[in-house]
Amino acid sequence: MAPPRATLRSRLAVLLPLLILAGLAFGSYYLLQIGLPSSQEEAAKPLTHTADAFATDLTVSMLDVTGITHYRLNAATMVHYEDDASANVTLPALRGFTPGQPDVTAFARRGTMNGDQSIIDLNDQARILRAPGPTDPAMEADSEHFRVLTNDDIIESEKPVKLQRGLSVMFGDSMTYHNATRQMFLYGRVHGQIAAHEPTAPVPSK
């Protein structure tokens, strides 16, 4: 015996909305899946030298093995890149701290640093200032480029350098400065004038 028509209609009235909702859900899921990249496409997509982070008025501290600040970098702006974690900075000021030694600060109009901050390049009107010590006068070096090797505590330049130490002024085609030992080496056509007597910092009274 066939079921009454009213019963079929009531069942269809209940099932039809459910079928429509199931179809919409399946269609949305299908469209979402075809729109997403596959795992192989994601793995094959290489990182590009594209900026992925920006900062202004930043400060970056680099610590030594004991956790004490060894270098501190201040800059007006920074642009960070996703492929190699390098960064470009403007108006960088890099200060080095060595226990028992005068502070050394390097400035420039622009700079770059690699991903682990072990190499910092300072470009355009670059300058190094070393504060006077108990027996050494202040020192200043000027060039168009300085490279700071933070792990080795060395500053070098392949560009011409003007060095002023107290009253002495020297010029060289390139330079290497060892911050830990305060030794400066000039290379190439070195010339200048060395003062007979250099001023020293006054000894504080007891």
Side-chain angles (χ1 to χ4, degrees):
M1 180 177 177
R5 292 184 178 181
T7 303
L8 290 175
R9 288 177 182 176
S10 61
R11 289 180 179 178
L12 289 174
V14 173
L15 293 175
L16 186 59
L18 295 176
L19 292 174
I20 293 174
L21 290 175
L24 291 174
F26 176 78
S28 300
Y29 177 78
Y30 175 76
L31 292 175
L32 177 62
Q33 291 302 311
I34 64 175
L36 291 174
S38 66
S39 58
Q40 292 181 349
E41 290 176 345
E42 290 181 348
K45 183 181 178 182
L47 296 176
T48 60
H49 198 63
T50 303
D52 62 351
F54 305 87
T56 58
D57 298 326
L58 76 149
T59 299
V60 178
S61 294
M62 287 149 268
L63 310 181
D64 61 16
V65 294
T66 65
I68 299 175
T69 298
H70 189 36
Y71 283 95
R72 180 179 294 128
L73 174 70
N74 294 293
T77 63
M78 182 198 73
V79 180
H80 184 272
Y81 295 92
E82 66 174 10
D83 58 341
D84 57 4
S86 65
N88 293 340
V89 294
T90 61
L91 301 180
L94 180 66
R95 175 164 292 183
F97 304 93
T98 301
Q101 303 286 3
D103 292 346
V104 175
T105 307
F107 307 87
R109 295 182 60 85
R110 59 184 181 89
T112 61
M113 57 182 176
N114 66 346
D116 62 358
Q117 295 91 46
S118 62
I119 301 176
I120 300 176
D121 287 295
L122 305 174
N123 302 284
D124 293 345
Q125 301 180 19
R127 172 172 292 180
I128 300 171
L129 295 178
R130 188 188 69 194
T135 59
D136 295 319
M139 184 197 74
E140 176 182 318
D142 296 278
S143 182
E144 284 303 306
H145 171 243
F146 288 120
R147 168 166 286 185
V148 184
L149 308 175
T150 58
N151 291 341
D152 300 320
D153 214 10
I154 290 175
I155 305 175
E156 59 186 18
S157 178
E158 82 290 3
K159 300 286 187 179
V161 176
K162 175 187 176 183
L163 172 65
Q164 182 167 349
R165 181 181 181 276
L167 301 177
S168 301
V169 180
M170 300 293 295
F171 299 86
D173 293 333
S174 58
M175 178 211 81
T176 300
Y177 175 67
H178 295 262
N179 188 38
T181 60
R182 295 179 296 170
Q183 290 179 306
M184 172 75 73
F185 299 92
L186 295 176
Y187 308 103
R189 296 168 296 177
V190 179
H191 61 282
Q193 182 176 4
I194 298 178
H197 300 282
E198 294 286 4
T200 57
V203 178
S205 57
K206 297 182 179 179

